[in-house]
Amino acid sequence: MRTNLPRRGLLAAALAALVAPRPAAADGASLRADGNGVRLVLPGAATGPWRLSADARPQRLVLSLPRHGWEGPRLLSGIAPVRTLRWDPRARRLTIDLTGPVAAPGVGQEGGALVLSIRPGPAAAFARLAGPSRPIAQGQGGARPVVVLDPGHGGKDPGAIGATGTQEKRIVLAAAQEMKRRLEAGGRCRVLMTRSRDVFVPLASRVDFARRQRATLFVSIHADSAPGARGASVYTLSETASDALSAALARRENAADSAGGLNLPPVPPDVQRILLSLVRQETRQGSVRLANMTVGALRPRVPLLPNTHRQAAFAVLKSPDIPSMLVEIGFLSNRQDEAQLKQPQHRAVVATALSAAVEDYLERPGLGVASVG
Ligand SMILES: [Zn+2]
């Protein structure tokens, strides 16, 4: 699921998914019951031009998305009053077949997502909406997705300290600021930072910030200490670490404060696990895609740690609905890495590679099938 539902909505949706048949959705799109109607969320659709119109015979809504990609299944079953969703790749048009007349749909934007609220309405009113020449609503795009950059540590927590006294918190803030400048110059996203000064920010607040901002992506930047390790590496979330080094890094990072992760409702731990695995499935696919793109962008430019993409249970990666990765841009415990990371030119090279990967991801949003019950 790529919709950024508020926490309560998210958990309610996850709970509903346990007991209700899963409605189909694709390409990060999600359709869910909402009162007596449905709510259709199309991530990325509001970043380009769009036009919504209605046909009376058969009764349907037609959403033209001339610059939108759709890589999921082309025919999806709906929830009343939506019968099916059909994507026509040539016309770049989403046809929303209806089970009956509907009221004028509510149209909103959240981040780069287009959100349609569709509920039953009187036939006469629907007849007045219909007609391909009269759009119900349209937009020119320009709603850019939000990318949250998360420089690690800060304030009373310096992070790793290199042999010559280099503090991780300063290096990663400088690298994140450089990445922000590059992404903003590219103009494809809005960039927000969990901290832009030397302040302490608890891990849970970093996650909450990204969720409140309805971020499309979350990128945490570190330069930790790990004996014998050299080069950049990329981490995505897994409860089981891929190797001892990743496990140790996650343990140390998670100890930065006692909080972290999400506040789940008081249900038994096994139910919590089911809920989280449901809502995280698609996010995990997005995170892995982002990590792969990042490794590909870093490889020709900077030294890499072998097995560059690794996994561990970093608390800061635990947003269930935002693809997230943690990048170790090098290790301050390694003298060569420390010497490079102190150089603005080297940080610029790293920031360029990371920005290229983020932009690549935003250009080609998810391949995965999403679904919200
Ligand atoms: Zn760190």
Short mmCIF file of all heavy atoms in Angstrom, two decimals, residues 154-178:
data_model
loop_
_atom_site.label_atom_id
_atom_site.label_comp_id
_atom_site.label_asym_id
_atom_site.label_seq_id
_atom_site.Cartn_x
_atom_site.Cartn_y
_atom_site.Cartn_z
N GLY A 154 22.65 13.78 16.10
CA GLY A 154 22.44 15.21 16.30
C GLY A 154 22.35 15.57 17.78
O GLY A 154 22.01 14.73 18.61
N GLY A 155 22.71 16.82 18.09
CA GLY A 155 22.66 17.30 19.46
C GLY A 155 23.54 16.48 20.37
O GLY A 155 24.71 16.24 20.07
N LYS A 156 22.95 15.99 21.47
CA LYS A 156 23.74 15.26 22.48
C LYS A 156 24.26 13.92 21.95
O LYS A 156 25.11 13.30 22.57
CB LYS A 156 22.89 15.03 23.73
CG LYS A 156 21.69 14.13 23.47
CD LYS A 156 20.73 14.09 24.66
CE LYS A 156 19.55 13.18 24.35
NZ LYS A 156 18.47 13.24 25.34
N ASP A 157 23.75 13.49 20.80
CA ASP A 157 24.18 12.21 20.22
C ASP A 157 25.05 12.47 18.98
O ASP A 157 24.53 12.78 17.91
CB ASP A 157 22.93 11.41 19.83
CG ASP A 157 23.26 10.16 19.02
OD1 ASP A 157 24.43 9.72 19.03
OD2 ASP A 157 22.34 9.63 18.36
N PRO A 158 26.39 12.39 19.14
CA PRO A 158 27.26 12.71 18.00
C PRO A 158 27.33 11.61 16.95
O PRO A 158 27.83 11.83 15.85
CB PRO A 158 28.63 12.89 18.66
CG PRO A 158 28.58 12.02 19.88
CD PRO A 158 27.14 12.03 20.35
N GLY A 159 26.82 10.41 17.27
CA GLY A 159 27.01 9.28 16.36
C GLY A 159 28.44 8.79 16.44
O GLY A 159 29.11 8.97 17.48
N ALA A 160 28.94 8.19 15.36
CA ALA A 160 30.31 7.67 15.37
C ALA A 160 31.30 8.83 15.36
O ALA A 160 30.98 9.93 14.89
CB ALA A 160 30.52 6.78 14.15
N ILE A 161 32.51 8.56 15.88
CA ILE A 161 33.55 9.58 15.87
C ILE A 161 34.80 8.96 15.24
O ILE A 161 35.26 7.89 15.66
CB ILE A 161 33.83 10.09 17.30
CG1 ILE A 161 32.57 10.77 17.84
CG2 ILE A 161 35.01 11.07 17.30
CD1 ILE A 161 32.64 11.22 19.27
N GLY A 162 35.31 9.60 14.19
CA GLY A 162 36.47 9.08 13.46
C GLY A 162 37.77 9.25 14.23
O GLY A 162 37.81 9.95 15.26
N ALA A 163 38.83 8.64 13.70
CA ALA A 163 40.13 8.67 14.38
C ALA A 163 40.64 10.10 14.54
O ALA A 163 41.33 10.43 15.50
CB ALA A 163 41.14 7.83 13.61
N THR A 164 40.29 10.98 13.58
CA THR A 164 40.74 12.37 13.70
C THR A 164 39.66 13.27 14.29
O THR A 164 39.73 14.49 14.17
CB THR A 164 41.18 12.93 12.32
OG1 THR A 164 40.01 13.02 11.49
CG2 THR A 164 42.21 12.04 11.65
N GLY A 165 38.67 12.64 14.91
CA GLY A 165 37.66 13.41 15.65
C GLY A 165 36.44 13.83 14.84
O GLY A 165 35.60 14.58 15.34
N THR A 166 36.32 13.35 13.60
CA THR A 166 35.17 13.72 12.77
C THR A 166 33.89 13.15 13.39
O THR A 166 33.84 11.96 13.71
CB THR A 166 35.32 13.13 11.36
OG1 THR A 166 36.63 13.41 10.90
CG2 THR A 166 34.29 13.72 10.40
N GLN A 167 32.88 13.99 13.55
CA GLN A 167 31.62 13.54 14.16
C GLN A 167 30.62 13.16 13.07
O GLN A 167 30.35 13.95 12.16
CB GLN A 167 31.02 14.64 15.04
CG GLN A 167 31.83 14.89 16.30
CD GLN A 167 31.16 15.93 17.17
OE1 GLN A 167 30.69 16.95 16.67
NE2 GLN A 167 31.11 15.68 18.47
N GLU A 168 30.03 11.98 13.22
CA GLU A 168 29.04 11.50 12.24
C GLU A 168 27.90 12.49 12.06
O GLU A 168 27.45 12.75 10.95
CB GLU A 168 28.49 10.14 12.69
CG GLU A 168 27.44 9.58 11.72
CD GLU A 168 26.84 8.26 12.19
OE1 GLU A 168 27.25 7.75 13.25
OE2 GLU A 168 25.93 7.77 11.50
N LYS A 169 27.40 13.06 13.18
CA LYS A 169 26.22 13.94 13.08
C LYS A 169 26.47 15.12 12.14
O LYS A 169 25.56 15.59 11.48
CB LYS A 169 25.80 14.43 14.47
CG LYS A 169 26.79 15.36 15.16
CD LYS A 169 26.22 15.87 16.49
CE LYS A 169 27.19 16.87 17.14
NZ LYS A 169 26.64 17.40 18.41
N ARG A 170 27.74 15.60 12.09
CA ARG A 170 28.04 16.76 11.23
C ARG A 170 28.18 16.35 9.77
O ARG A 170 27.68 17.02 8.86
CB ARG A 170 29.34 17.43 11.69
CG ARG A 170 29.24 17.97 13.09
CD ARG A 170 30.45 18.81 13.49
NE ARG A 170 30.43 19.06 14.93
CZ ARG A 170 29.63 19.94 15.50
NH1 ARG A 170 28.82 20.68 14.77
NH2 ARG A 170 29.63 20.09 16.81
N ILE A 171 28.85 15.21 9.55
CA ILE A 171 29.07 14.71 8.19
C ILE A 171 27.73 14.39 7.51
O ILE A 171 27.50 14.77 6.36
CB ILE A 171 29.94 13.43 8.24
CG1 ILE A 171 31.35 13.78 8.71
CG2 ILE A 171 29.96 12.71 6.89
CD1 ILE A 171 32.12 14.65 7.76
N VAL A 172 26.86 13.73 8.25
CA VAL A 172 25.61 13.29 7.60
C VAL A 172 24.65 14.46 7.39
O VAL A 172 23.89 14.46 6.42
CB VAL A 172 24.93 12.12 8.38
CG1 VAL A 172 25.83 10.90 8.36
CG2 VAL A 172 24.54 12.49 9.79
N LEU A 173 24.72 15.47 8.26
CA LEU A 173 23.89 16.66 8.04
C LEU A 173 24.36 17.38 6.77
O LEU A 173 23.55 17.77 5.92
CB LEU A 173 23.94 17.60 9.25
CG LEU A 173 23.12 18.89 9.11
CD1 LEU A 173 21.64 18.58 8.84
CD2 LEU A 173 23.25 19.77 10.35
N ALA A 174 25.68 17.51 6.62
CA ALA A 174 26.22 18.17 5.42
C ALA A 174 25.85 17.40 4.16
O ALA A 174 25.47 17.98 3.14
CB ALA A 174 27.74 18.31 5.54
N ALA A 175 25.94 16.07 4.24
CA ALA A 175 25.60 15.24 3.06
C ALA A 175 24.12 15.37 2.71
O ALA A 175 23.74 15.47 1.54
CB ALA A 175 25.97 13.79 3.33
N ALA A 176 23.26 15.37 3.74
CA ALA A 176 21.81 15.47 3.50
C ALA A 176 21.46 16.84 2.91
O ALA A 176 20.62 16.95 2.02
CB ALA A 176 21.05 15.23 4.81
N GLN A 177 22.13 17.89 3.42
CA GLN A 177 21.84 19.23 2.89
C GLN A 177 22.25 19.32 1.42
O GLN A 177 21.56 19.94 0.61
CB GLN A 177 22.56 20.29 3.73
CG GLN A 177 21.79 20.57 5.03
CD GLN A 177 22.58 21.35 6.06
OE1 GLN A 177 23.82 21.27 6.08
NE2 GLN A 177 21.89 22.06 6.93
N GLU A 178 23.38 18.68 1.09
CA GLU A 178 23.82 18.67 -0.31
C GLU A 178 22.81 17.91 -1.18
O GLU A 178 22.45 18.33 -2.28
CB GLU A 178 25.21 18.00 -0.38
CG GLU A 178 25.80 17.95 -1.78
CD GLU A 178 26.12 19.33 -2.34
OE1 GLU A 178 26.40 20.25 -1.55
OE2 GLU A 178 26.07 19.49 -3.57
#
